[in-house]
Amino acid sequence: MALFFSFIIAISAATISFGTPHIANAAFTIPDGSTVGGIDVGGMTVDEAKDILSDKINEWKNQSDMTIESPTEILTIPSEDIQYDLNQTMDQLLEKTKTPWYAFFIKKKSVDLPLVVKVNITDEELSEWPNHIDKVKTINNVETTASYLGEHNIQAVLTEANEQNDVIAEASWNIPKDYIFLDELVEELNGKKITPGNSFSFLQQVANEVSYFREDDGNFVVSMLYSLLLQTNVEIIERHSQRVIPAYSSAHLDV
């Protein structure tokens, strides 16, 4: 019985001494099909992956700064304030691809991981952001987008109190009795968005889309729109006066 027991121990020890050096000396490569930040790193060593990712990050940063659009402004986060941690990223990758010692013969599964990224923005800088922007959620979205080297422009997350459209400007005019073709113009104008950095033409984007209207109807709608836009930060590029002051408007508001 004693002889049989010692024989089993010898075989076990031989198995351990044979397998361990084989695992330790094998160069680790990232499983095929794996991506980090949307970049294919399969089949690479950790150092090779870090070099590739570093180049891609620098290329992404050099394209432009990150911008955040809200209904009333555009905020900018300089690319140098978006910091990547490749060491922590690789640590997470190794943890995801780690296999138990007893399963070294099992093929490793591919993984898809984001880059570890942090937006370095101070409390003082955040305090200058408008209150209608949810700062925490917006920054989280910036980091999520940057972790996959995504678009450089994202939409701001609004606070719950501002999820509905804010009233930026308002006006109330009396419609002359014989202006009977306003509905189509108003319906076409309703829902139009003037996004930051883009231009808007009433003639091209509203009037030309309506089948029929009188000139007086069009003048009334665009004059009222003009009076509203003067109360905002919209820059007026071109305006043509009616050359007379209509009954519904005042001087310099007619279009």
Side-chain angles (χ1 to χ4, degrees):
M1 181 64 69
L3 178 61
F4 178 77
F5 182 78
S6 63
F7 177 75
I8 294 296
I9 292 296
I11 291 298
S12 299
T15 302
I16 295 173
S17 63
F18 174 77
T20 302
H22 177 74
I23 297 173
N25 293 332
F28 173 80
T29 56
I30 300 169
D32 290 338
S34 296
T35 63
V36 175
I39 307 301
D40 185 3
V41 294
M44 300 181 188
T45 65
V46 170
D47 288 340
E48 289 171 342
K50 288 174 70 173
D51 289 341
I52 291 294
L53 293 172
S54 180
D55 290 342
K56 294 294 184 180
I57 289 170
N58 289 332
E59 180 182 328
W60 182 83
K61 282 189 169 187
N62 289 333
Q63 289 178 6
S64 70
D65 293 330
M66 200 91 173
T67 57
I68 303 168
E69 288 189 12
S70 84
T72 55
E73 62 275 300
I74 298 178
L75 305 172
T76 300
I77 297 181
S79 58
E80 59 266 23
D81 289 344
I82 301 175
Q83 300 296 318
Y84 291 87
D85 191 332
L86 285 181
N87 289 330
Q88 188 176 347
T89 300
M90 290 297 102
D91 287 344
Q92 291 184 3
L93 184 144
L94 290 172
E95 182 65 27
K96 289 286 186 180
T97 56
K98 182 174 64 176
T99 55
W101 66 267
Y102 55 80
F104 66 89
F105 53 87
I106 298 178
K107 183 179 179 180
K108 294 181 175 66
K109 294 182 179 180
S110 62
V111 296
D112 298 289
L113 295 176
L115 290 156
V116 176
V117 63
K118 178 69 176 177
V119 175
N120 291 331
I121 185 167
T122 65
D123 292 338
E124 181 179 356
E125 290 171 326
L126 280 177
S127 67
E128 297 177 358
W129 286 23
N131 292 329
H132 60 259
I133 293 180
D134 189 314
K135 301 169 187 177
V136 174
K137 290 182 179 180
T138 299
I139 290 296
N140 286 341
N141 282 357
V142 171
E143 292 178 344
T144 298
T145 302
S147 71
Y148 282 96
L149 303 179
E151 298 293 331
H152 288 76
N153 176 271
I154 69 168
Q155 294 295 318
V157 179
L158 303 183
T159 59
E160 292 184 4
N162 288 277
E163 286 181 351
Q164 300 296 323
N165 293 332
D166 290 335
V167 176
I168 305 299
E170 59 184 356
S172 178
W173 289 8
N174 291 321
I175 302 175
K177 291 182 179 180
D178 57 341
Y179 284 33
I180 58 176
F181 296 99
L182 297 179
D183 289 348
E184 285 192 51
L185 288 166
V186 173
E187 183 177 350
E188 186 65 35
L189 180 60
N190 186 38
K192 295 287 185 185
K193 293 183 178 180
I194 306 177
T195 56
N198 293 315
S199 60
F200 173 85
S201 167
F202 178 83
L203 181 61
Q204 294 178 2
Q205 295 173 251
V206 178
N208 288 349
E209 299 298 321
V210 175
S211 59
Y212 177 79
F213 65 94
R214 297 187 316 168
E215 182 178 355
D216 288 344
D217 299 291
N219 289 344
F220 177 87
V221 175
V222 73
S223 294
M224 191 170 189
L225 176 62
Y226 177 70
S227 73
L228 287 169
L229 294 180
L230 288 178
Q231 304 175 49
T232 71
N233 60 355
V234 172
E235 179 184 359
I236 306 300
I237 300 175
E238 184 178 1
R239 166 196 173 238
H240 297 280
S241 171
Q242 297 182 34
R243 299 184 182 276
V244 295
I245 302 175
Y248 52 76
S249 178
S250 57
H252 309 300
L253 291 182
D254 62 288
V255 181

